[in-house]
């Protein structure tokens, strides 16, 4: 990055600002906080005649930027190829450098006469555009303070997870979430597509996965976990919709990682194809589940099941170019395998000592099915139980100990702990939230914004060690048992996602809770102006109404 710094400054010599008493234009309030931000003398004042000059490798990004700038300024903002000699009165130059450096870093120079975003890769240019759009003056005639930003992400994996199994959400809502992820420089969308309560991904070879598995007979109403609303509920994504979502994400430098959760959390698929389950046990009656919690139905370790998984992966890998495929592995009770004579016979045949080892055998086979397609297996931390498949990446949700052990054993790790990243937990005191109505019900827990902000993804046991490099990053979780509407999803997500983004991107030395709160105000205003519902962390708590006076 030193090299980049000298490059841009040599091209546009400008004095770094010396402190003065004159009132300064607005500071750059950016989330996540960049690595370095140095103000300079002067301002950039957008005027008609502004154009975006681009390297051919970032044509789409240039068009995206120009479109936003047209909305902000009301001017026509043309785009022009880098090599064309037409000069515009004001230019924003998007440059991809010929450099071997980390392609995700970027430098953004806002000079009084022109703006230059330079990066060794297209991802860096995209991040620079996001920074610029956050600080672009929104008032007519307003100017942008001259500044040099030098920035790069702390972690390569900056994710957000969404469970569409418990509740289904419309494609356009998912696209809007991807838009806001991009604003926050998040780059992985972990799409949890299958659950006990619904299978949501069209698989052409197995149509009953969606015709049967995508629908359940009823759902518990808010405030009554054991109840049933008696209404058939469901939905799924066609392959055409999935391709659209994956392409939309890719344009925004976001990878969509699909999750097909197995061998547990599979009741909906087993209801569709009962032969996939442990059908030799008494009272076997698989149904798409109508209540939340951990369910007994698991896939049976039959050859037919592995062949089915292989077929499903064929379509999944065709739809999702991601290197990683998430295979879940969480919360798979071993009761049915204990009862099933067939599962027991597989344990004998494979010389396995217990059902945990059977799960490890199962996931080892699954891992090979991905490997032969050039993909990598990712799973929740339970995949460590009974022995971890070589090369598997572990997503840690329970405790730091799982991260330490997996990293020390040479596995890559992604941090997604309940303690700091479960955005289905209450964001404010559950007592006050519940007085607002049953629809404010959450699964439980309490995860205020400040705690998300204080999250340190690298376990302290690994600090300073080689194994710390194994922590690829972190992500927020949006589980949706208690999320029936997109409006509620947004209320839970925001602004906790803003804090998570800063945890994932910004160096810990640059993290500052007071500064974050200051930078959060304009971000909340932007979200709300765009119609996104957010929790308001700045609101005064409502005074409790004394009994008998309401
Ligand atoms: C645990 S995290 C689960 C999910 C639930 C979530 C609710 C994980 C791998 N499994 O099935 O939705 O808790 O917070």
């Amino acid at each position: 990055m030193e090299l980049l710094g000298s490059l841009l400054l040599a091209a546009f010599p400008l004095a770094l600002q010396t402190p003065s008493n004159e009132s300064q234009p607005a500071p750059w309030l950016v989330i996540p906080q960049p690595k370095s931000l140095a103000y300079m003398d002067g301002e950039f004042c957008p005027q008609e005649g502004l154009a975006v000059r681009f390297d051919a490798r970032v044509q789409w990004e240039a068009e995206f930027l120009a479109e936003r700038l047209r909305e902000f300024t009301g001017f026509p903002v043309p785009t022009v190829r880098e090599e064309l000699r037409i000069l515009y009165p004001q230019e924003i130059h998007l440059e991809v450098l010929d450099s071997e450096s980390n392609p995700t870093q970027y430098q953004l120079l806002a000079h009084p006469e022109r703006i230059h975003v330079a990066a060794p890769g297209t991802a860096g240019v995209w991040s620079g555009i996001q920074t610029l759009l956050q600080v672009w003056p929104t008032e007519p005639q307003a100017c942008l303070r001259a500044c040099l930003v030098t920035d790069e992400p702390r972690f390569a994996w900056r994710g957000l997870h969404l469970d569409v199994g418990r509740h289904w959400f419309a494609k356009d809502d998912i696209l809007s979430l991807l838009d806001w992820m991009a604003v926050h420089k998040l780059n992985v969308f972990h799409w949890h597509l299958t659950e006990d309560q619904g299978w949501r991904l069209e698989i052409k070879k197995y149509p009953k996965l969606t015709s049967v598995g995508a629908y359940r007979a009823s759902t518990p109403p808010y405030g009554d976990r054991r109840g049933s609303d008696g209404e058939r509920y469901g939905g799924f994504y066609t392959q055409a919709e999935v391709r659209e979502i994956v392409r939309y994400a890719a344009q925004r430098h976001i990878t969509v990682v699909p999750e097909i959760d197995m061998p547990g959390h599979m009741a909906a698929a087993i209801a569709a194809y009962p032969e996939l389950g442990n059908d030799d046990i008494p009272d076997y009656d698989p149904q798409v589940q109508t209540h939340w919690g951990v369910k007994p139905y698991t896939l049976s370790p039959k050859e037919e099941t592995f062949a089915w998984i292989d077929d499903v992966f064929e379509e999944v890998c065709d739809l999702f170019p991601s290197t990683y495929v998430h295979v879940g592995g969480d919360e798979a009770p071993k009761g049915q395998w204990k009862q099933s004579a067939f599962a027991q016979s597989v344990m004998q045949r494979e010389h396995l000592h217990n059902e945990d080892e059977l799960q490890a055998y199962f996931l080892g086979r699954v891992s090979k099915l991905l490997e032969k397609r050039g993909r990598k297996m990712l799973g929740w931390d339970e995949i460590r139980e009974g022995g971890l498949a070589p090369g598997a990446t572990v997503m840690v949700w329970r405790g730091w100990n799982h991260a330490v052990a997996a990293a020390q054993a040479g596995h890559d790790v992604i941090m997604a702990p309940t303690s700091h990243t479960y955005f289905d937990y209450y964001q404010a005191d559950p007592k006050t939230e519940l007085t607002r109505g049953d629809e404010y019900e959450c699964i439980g827990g309490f995860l205020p914004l400040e705690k998300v902000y204080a999250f340190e993804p690298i376990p302290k046991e690994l600090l300073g060690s080689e194994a710390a490099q194994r922590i690829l990053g972190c992500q927020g979780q949006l589980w949706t048992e208690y999320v029936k509407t997109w409006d509620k999803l947004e209320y839970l997500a925001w602004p906790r996602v803003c804090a998570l983004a800063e945890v994932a991107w910004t160096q810990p030395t640059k993290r500052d809770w007071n500064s974050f709160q200051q930078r959060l105000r304009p971000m909340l205003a932007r979200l709300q102006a765009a119609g996104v519902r957010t929790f308001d962390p700045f609101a005064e708590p409502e005074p409790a109404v004394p009994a008998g006076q309401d």
Side-chain angles (χ1 to χ4, degrees):
M1 216 52 183
E2 297 310 311
L3 179 120
L4 275 182
S6 53
L7 194 137
L8 281 189
L9 278 181
F12 306 99
L14 199 67
L16 285 179
Q17 203 164 62
T18 42
S20 80
N21 294 329
E22 284 169 45
S23 71
Q24 294 294 354
W28 285 35
L29 302 180
V30 182
I31 292 177
Q33 178 71 20
K35 192 169 187 185
S36 110
L37 206 149
Y39 295 115
M40 299 175 171
D41 286 332
E43 297 177 305
F44 177 90
C45 301
Q47 282 158 14
E48 188 143 10
L50 172 70
V52 177
R53 179 173 296 277
F54 64 92
D55 178 301
R57 286 167 283 185
V58 287
Q59 175 162 6
W60 188 87
E61 290 81 350
E63 297 296 346
F64 176 94
L65 172 63
E67 186 54 37
R68 296 286 100 70
L69 296 181
R70 285 173 205 130
E71 289 161 17
F72 281 138
T73 62
F75 315 145
V77 179
T79 55
V80 55
R81 284 279 289 259
E82 203 165 46
E83 59 278 16
L84 294 182
R85 283 167 170 262
I86 327 158
L87 283 184
Y88 287 87
Q90 263 190 341
E91 292 193 356
I92 299 173
H93 186 183
L94 305 180
E95 186 180 12
V96 183
L97 301 166
D98 290 315
S99 157
E100 297 290 297
S101 306
N102 170 4
T104 61
Q105 56 188 351
Y106 72 92
Q107 199 154 52
L108 163 58
L109 176 68
H111 182 276
E113 277 145 40
R114 54 193 291 143
I115 293 178
H116 196 129
V117 178
T122 59
V125 172
W126 177 248
S127 294
I129 290 173
Q130 297 311 318
T131 300
L132 182 61
L133 287 172
Q134 279 195 40
V135 296
W136 193 267
T138 45
E139 306 283 308
Q141 320 282 309
C143 299
L144 178 64
R145 188 166 172 183
C147 185
L148 175 67
V149 173
T150 303
D151 201 6
E152 65 185 328
R154 178 180 182 198
F155 291 111
W157 187 293
R158 304 180 301 279
L160 189 60
H161 149 290
L162 176 66
D163 166 16
V164 295
R166 274 56 177 266
H167 284 99
W168 176 93
F169 301 100
K171 183 194 73 188
D172 285 349
D173 289 328
I174 294 179
L175 298 183
S176 85
L177 186 66
L178 292 167
D179 283 336
W180 286 104
M181 283 177 66
V183 167
H184 288 84
K185 302 187 174 80
L186 295 174
N187 67 347
V188 180
F189 176 55
H190 169 179
W191 200 4
H192 185 84
L193 283 161
T194 65
E195 260 306 335
D196 294 313
Q197 296 83 6
W199 178 286
R200 308 273 174 239
L201 174 65
E202 179 189 24
I203 297 292
K204 304 244 185 212
K205 190 160 182 184
Y206 298 99
K208 284 198 281 180
L209 285 173
T210 43
S211 66
V212 175
Y215 298 91
R216 60 175 177 257
S218 78
T219 304
Y222 283 133
D224 181 9
R225 296 181 176 205
R226 293 179 182 207
S228 299
D229 64 9
E231 286 171 34
R232 181 176 143 95
Y233 177 92
F236 64 94
Y237 304 93
T238 65
Q239 294 203 349
E241 288 172 321
V242 170
R243 285 187 204 283
E244 187 183 337
I245 288 171
V246 169
R247 186 172 355 100
Y248 192 91
Q251 287 170 327
R252 287 156 184 75
H253 296 263
I254 296 170
T255 303
V256 183
V257 174
E259 180 179 349
I260 309 294
D261 200 346
M262 62 184 80
H265 286 283
M266 264 287 172
I270 301 172
Y273 295 97
E275 62 276 21
L276 296 172
N278 301 288
D279 50 6
D280 60 348
I281 63 173
D283 305 319
Y284 182 71
D285 181 23
Q287 302 290 339
V288 183
Q289 299 295 298
T290 54
H291 290 86
W292 319 125
V294 177
K295 304 296 166 187
Y297 281 86
T298 57
L299 294 173
S300 163
K302 294 172 191 168
E303 289 313 304
E304 292 82 346
T305 309
F306 293 113
W308 172 80
I309 294 170
D310 197 27
D311 290 340
V312 169
F313 281 169
E314 174 140 352
E315 295 190 32
V316 165
C317 291
D318 185 48
L319 289 167
F320 298 93
S322 152
T323 307
Y324 292 94
V325 174
H326 202 306
V327 300
D330 59 313
E331 300 176 327
K334 304 298 178 301
Q336 291 196 344
W337 283 352
K338 287 201 169 95
Q339 279 180 291
S340 161
F342 177 78
Q344 293 298 315
S345 75
V346 173
M347 282 172 51
Q348 271 192 352
R349 185 188 80 204
E350 301 295 330
H351 310 292
L352 306 172
H353 302 97
N354 54 45
E355 289 74 18
D356 282 347
E357 289 187 14
L358 180 56
Q359 167 147 325
Y361 163 80
F362 189 102
L363 292 172
R365 300 253 329 240
V366 167
S367 161
K368 293 212 175 68
L369 299 177
L370 291 173
E371 216 172 272
K372 78 174 183 192
R373 295 186 164 85
R375 308 303 177 100
K376 284 192 192 166
M377 184 172 96
L378 168 62
W380 297 108
D381 55 49
E382 286 95 330
I383 66 170
R384 298 184 54 244
E385 291 161 9
L388 188 50
T393 299
V394 182
M395 187 170 274
V396 171
W397 70 284
R398 294 178 300 175
W400 260 252
N401 54 320
H402 295 287
V404 174
Q408 285 174 343
H411 290 270
D412 286 341
V413 171
I414 293 148
M415 297 302 288
T418 54
S419 57
H420 294 78
T421 67
Y422 269 45
F423 300 159
D424 57 335
Y425 291 3
Y426 286 101
Q427 189 161 194
D429 185 340
K431 284 199 229 67
T432 49
E433 285 293 272
L434 283 170
T435 57
R436 305 174 73 183
D438 281 350
E439 69 276 20
Y440 284 83
E441 182 187 19
C442 284
I443 194 164
F446 178 43
L447 178 53
L449 183 64
E450 190 166 3
K451 187 165 181 196
V452 179
Y453 196 76
F455 174 37
E456 173 43 53
I458 299 191
K460 56 182 178 319
E461 294 87 335
L462 297 182
L463 280 174
S465 80
E466 194 71 353
Q469 302 297 324
R470 292 288 180 182
I471 310 294
L472 302 185
C474 58
Q475 63 175 42
Q477 279 40 252
L478 291 164
W479 296 105
T480 60
E481 288 95 327
Y482 299 89
V483 186
K484 292 180 192 288
T485 62
W486 190 253
D487 183 69
K488 170 120 178 234
L489 187 107
E490 290 181 335
Y491 178 76
L492 294 174
W494 305 105
R496 287 187 285 201
V497 174
C498 307
L500 192 270
E502 190 143 312
V503 169
W505 179 277
T506 304
Q507 292 299 323
T509 50
K510 285 273 164 181
R511 253 201 263 163
D512 175 335
W513 171 240
N514 288 329
S515 143
F516 174 73
Q517 286 176 288
Q518 192 199 355
R519 287 177 285 115
L520 188 57
R521 288 180 188 272
M523 181 59 88
L524 278 177
R526 277 183 69 182
L527 283 157
Q528 288 162 4
V532 176
R533 184 164 179 224
T534 74
F535 174 81
D536 183 358
F538 301 117
E540 293 293 321
E542 283 166 36
V545 181
Q549 290 188 16
D550 56 351

